[in-house]
Every structure is written in C-alpha cells, then in structure tokens.
Amino acid sequence: GRLHDLRSVTKSVVGLLYGIARSDGIVPPSSARLMGLYPQFDDGDPLRRRITIGHVLSMRLGLTWNEGTDYDSPANSEIQMEAAPDRIRYVLTRPMAEPPGSTWVYCGGATALLADLIARGSGLDLEAYARTKLFAPLGIHELDWVRGADGTPVGSSGLRLLPRDLARIGQMVLDRGRAAGHSVVPPGWLATSFRPRGHVESGLRYGYHWWIGSLAASGKAWAAAYGNGGQRLIIIPSLKMVVVILAGNYNAPDQWKMPLRLMTRIVIPSVIH
C-alpha cells in the first residue's frame, strides 16, 4: 500500500514511453542522428556525430560514462548529471571514449535524453505524458515522480509506484501491449525493445532499455527492468508470468542477491517441475 522507490526500473518505463511517443509521431526514429536533434552541442567530433537514437536506446553511445561506482559517490556520472545545471548539456559534452555501437555501457544519461525528447515532442513534461499515455490507460493513478533541481522529472530513477501497479505494467507487456481491450504500447515496439543489442555479461544482454536473458534451467527467455536496491519487474512470456520484487537494499554491495535467490529458489521452482 506504499509508493515504492523503483530507481532504475524507471528507465524501462521511459523505454515504453518512447515507443508510445513513436507511435504518436512526436519523437525521432532509431535511425535519427542525435546531433541533428541537438545542434547546439555539435562540436564537430566525427564520433559524436555518429550517435543515433538507437545507440541511445541501447546504451551504446560511446561516451565516457561511469556508473560503476556507488550512487552516493560524487564520482558517479549519473550523480554528476543530476547535480549539473543542465542534464542534457552534461550528457552531450562528455568526451567520446569509442565509436558509437562498439560497447554497452550502463548510462542514465541515455534515459535523460529519451525523456527530454519525449517532453520536447509532446509539449508535456515526462510525468504528465506518462500519466496520460501509460498510467491512466492501466488504471494507475497513485504515483510520484521525483524531480531534479531544474524541476523536471528524473527519467533515470525517479518513479514511485505501488507494487501492484508496477505489476499492471508488466501484465500489459505480457499481453503484447494491450490492457482492457486497448493498445497501450505498440507490440512492434515491444518486439524491438526485447531484441538483444548490447552484451552485458555471460547470459545477459540489453535491448532498448530492457534487460534480456534466459532461465538457466530451461532456457526460457525473460525481459526485465532492474533497479538499485533489489527492485525487479520480470516478464517470462512462455510461463505467462509477471514477477515484481521490491526491496530497500539501496547501494548495498550484495543487493542483487536477494532477488536472484527469490527467483531461483522459490518462484521458478514453483512453476517448473
């Protein structure tokens, strides 16, 4: 019954919102060049000019970015971004580390860019667009979206939802983007989002703002939204299953262990015999 801090589960919700915005015709396609949309930040770097929206969606921008440190550390790039006077300027002035598309690097700045494009295209801030296009159609009315110092919603980690409402989002995804007989997210966008594009580690890939993997015991595919502290929204189509796990182990070094144990020792054994 309490709104829960979802942290980076927010990123996957923004990925869904970008798909809705594409169907509305208000944001650019994955093939669009990023610098063409932000010419004020075009410094002539040939690598920067190669970044596409597809690279942003799959977190393969090629920027110098560090989220490998704790989120209470000033060295963390997402923390630096949120402390900066202008998120977008901070992201788009990071030095290029390699050609876009080369390597997957976890990047909250990518989500900030998507959120900005949605706001620019819709004329609404991210929360207002989400309430109209995603939450209201799912019957989700009680929520909070933390705002940054500039007053805009934090796209990378600011969403707070009730557990069952997060499950509603998962059920809609499981139902190929439909809820209550209506299309909420285009099914084609979901298929595109769940196509592996970035290599994270053995057995784990990244699509368009969604984590992609398979169950070790059966090889059944799953898609998931992950958040710091043990937050999980996991969708297993072959089992017709949506799992929501919420916890408060924020910034703990072993915060990933609880949801993994819960899935492998309790949830999956209860449905696979």
Side-chain angles (χ1 to χ4, degrees):
R2 297 180 181 177
L3 292 174
H4 194 83
D5 180 357
L6 302 178
R7 298 292 171 98
S8 288
V9 170
T10 308
K11 292 180 172 69
S12 297
V13 173
V14 172
L16 296 178
L17 290 170
Y18 199 86
I20 296 171
R22 273 296 300 144
S23 69
D24 286 345
I26 61 172
V27 292
S30 60
S31 60
R33 296 293 178 101
L34 189 62
M35 287 300 99
L37 303 166
Y38 294 98
Q40 67 272 35
F41 299 116
D42 186 351
D43 59 359
D45 188 320
L47 291 183
R48 197 181 309 277
R49 287 181 171 179
R50 287 167 54 183
I51 301 173
T52 67
I53 296 300
H55 294 137
V56 177
L57 285 158
S58 59
M59 295 192 183
R60 297 179 300 149
L61 293 82
L63 299 176
T64 299
W65 195 269
N66 175 24
E67 285 192 52
T69 59
D70 292 340
Y71 284 93
D72 55 5
S73 168
N76 187 296
S77 295
E78 184 170 314
I79 299 303
Q80 292 179 5
M81 174 182 71
E82 290 302 327
D86 184 334
R87 286 192 197 112
I88 304 305
R89 176 178 292 278
Y90 177 84
V91 176
L92 292 182
T93 56
R94 294 307 90 205
M96 296 298 297
E98 59 186 348
S102 301
T103 308
W104 177 86
V105 176
Y106 193 64
C107 179
T111 319
L113 292 171
L114 299 180
D116 185 64
L117 290 170
I118 292 168
R120 286 170 52 182
S122 66
L124 302 170
D125 75 17
L126 184 66
E127 179 182 346
Y129 187 78
R131 283 182 180 271
T132 301
K133 292 292 186 171
L134 178 62
F135 298 138
L138 297 180
I140 299 172
H141 304 290
E142 187 176 355
L143 64 109
D144 186 31
W145 207 313
V146 171
R147 293 170 181 264
D150 62 358
T152 62
V154 178
S156 58
S157 61
L159 184 59
R160 273 76 168 145
L161 288 176
L162 298 174
R164 288 184 180 274
D165 284 343
L166 181 58
R168 289 174 191 253
I169 294 174
Q171 185 65 46
M172 177 272 296
V173 172
L174 186 65
D175 291 336
R176 296 178 52 81
R178 297 184 67 81
H182 301 284
S183 178
V184 180
V185 179
W189 180 258
L190 295 177
T192 297
S193 297
F194 300 153
R195 186 180 306 148
R197 299 167 191 277
H199 178 272
V200 181
E201 58 187 36
S202 179
L204 188 60
R205 302 291 185 268
Y206 202 75
Y208 275 0
H209 267 52
W210 284 82
W211 303 84
I212 312 297
S214 59
L215 302 179
S218 65
K220 296 180 185 296
W222 53 258
Y226 285 3
N228 180 358
Q231 326 319 319
R232 298 289 187 270
L233 170 60
I234 302 170
I235 299 149
I236 310 173
S238 61
L239 299 178
K240 299 180 180 178
M241 175 180 283
V242 173
V243 182
V244 169
I245 302 171
L246 301 177
N249 300 320
Y250 301 108
N251 298 324
D254 63 348
Q255 47 103 8
W256 56 273
K257 292 183 179 179
M258 182 278 289
L260 179 62
R261 288 171 177 167
L262 185 58
M263 287 297 295
T264 57
R265 298 183 184 182
I266 298 176
V267 176
I268 297 305
S270 72
V271 295
I272 296 180
H273 303 287

